[in-house]
Amino acid sequence: DSGVTQTPKHLITATGQRVTLRCSPRSGDLSVYWYQQSLDQGLQFLIQYYNGEERAKGNILERFSAQQFPDLHSELNLSSLELGDSALYFCASSDSPGQGTDTQYFGPGTRLTVL
Amino acid sequence: GQQVMQIPQYQHVQEGEDFTTYCNSSTTLSNIQWYKQRPGGHPVFLIQLVKSGEVKKQKRLTFQFGEAKKNSSLHITATQTTDVGTYFCAGPESNYQLIWGAGTKLIIKP
């Protein structure tokens, strides 16, 4: 158990809908990272927050947005969903701002299925 | 932009055979990390290499960082069923975010 929690575990929805994925980092970690992993693919970095502020952006679509709240949990919002958004979404946390030497601790993921 | 290439994409081995995955970066890396993702699981940190030419061992796993700090490898000796999964390398980009390799899936042949 990494100490990172993600809810829900599974999500099934229809095209055009909007969903929110939630992540709570390990106790004491200030950084939260979001990744997308399509079936049998690698990890695509979406976005990182550090202590409530956006720190880095990866290949995140404009239909997607995220935020980190004062209690450090983070939410990833996916809107106008398309079939291609079906994937596993991981949240990871680390204890520093993202200096390239951070060990990232991953949550169990949310599996999103868009029908 | 910076890329981290990882090969092979899949490797099928008989239990007891060795396994190796290779990671190559288009630029010099300050460090490289390795993660393992079991089937149905999430990536788990294995190790970080920092020094040029560094070699680290974890039981049957040997990790190497190239002299030029642009490549790395993970070698597993005498694979066991518990080794099954996908192994990812990751190195920091210029803005310090990790760039991930596509992963190598280790499959043990029955």
Side-chain angles (χ1 to χ4, degrees), chain A residues 41-107:
Chain A
Q41 298 294 309
L43 291 160
Q44 293 296 319
F45 168 68
L46 297 178
I47 198 164
Q48 180 209 355
Y49 279 81
Y50 175 74
N51 204 19
E53 300 288 327
E54 182 183 304
R55 179 79 177 175
K57 238 176 182 175
N59 298 321
I60 187 166
L61 299 172
E62 285 191 13
R63 300 183 285 110
F64 296 1
S65 64
Q67 53 184 326
Q68 186 179 28
F69 294 87
D71 67 353
L72 300 177
H73 91 271
S74 178
E75 292 180 356
L76 178 67
N77 300 295
L78 315 176
S79 61
S80 303
L81 285 167
E82 302 175 358
L83 295 177
D85 297 327
S86 295
L88 202 48
Y89 290 84
F90 285 110
C91 164
S93 74
S94 73
D95 59 4
S96 71
Q99 296 173 350
T101 56
D102 305 355
T103 297
Q104 295 187 15
Y105 296 88
F106 284 77

Side-chain angles (χ1 to χ4, degrees), chain B residues 5-21:
Chain B
M5 308 297 292
Q6 194 173 351
I7 56 169
Q9 189 176 2
Y10 300 92
Q11 190 165 2
H12 295 75
V13 301
Q14 297 277 3
E15 190 174 1
E17 291 182 338
D18 292 356
F19 160 85
T20 305
T21 172

Side-chain angles (χ1 to χ4, degrees), chain A residues 37 48 98 100-102 104 107, chain B residues 31 33 35 37 42 48 97:
Chain A
Q37 186 176 43
Q48 180 209 355
T101 56
D102 305 355
Q104 295 187 15
Chain B
N31 71 85
Q33 300 183 25
Y35 290 75
Q37 183 177 19
H42 58 273
Q48 181 180 120
Q97 292 310 308

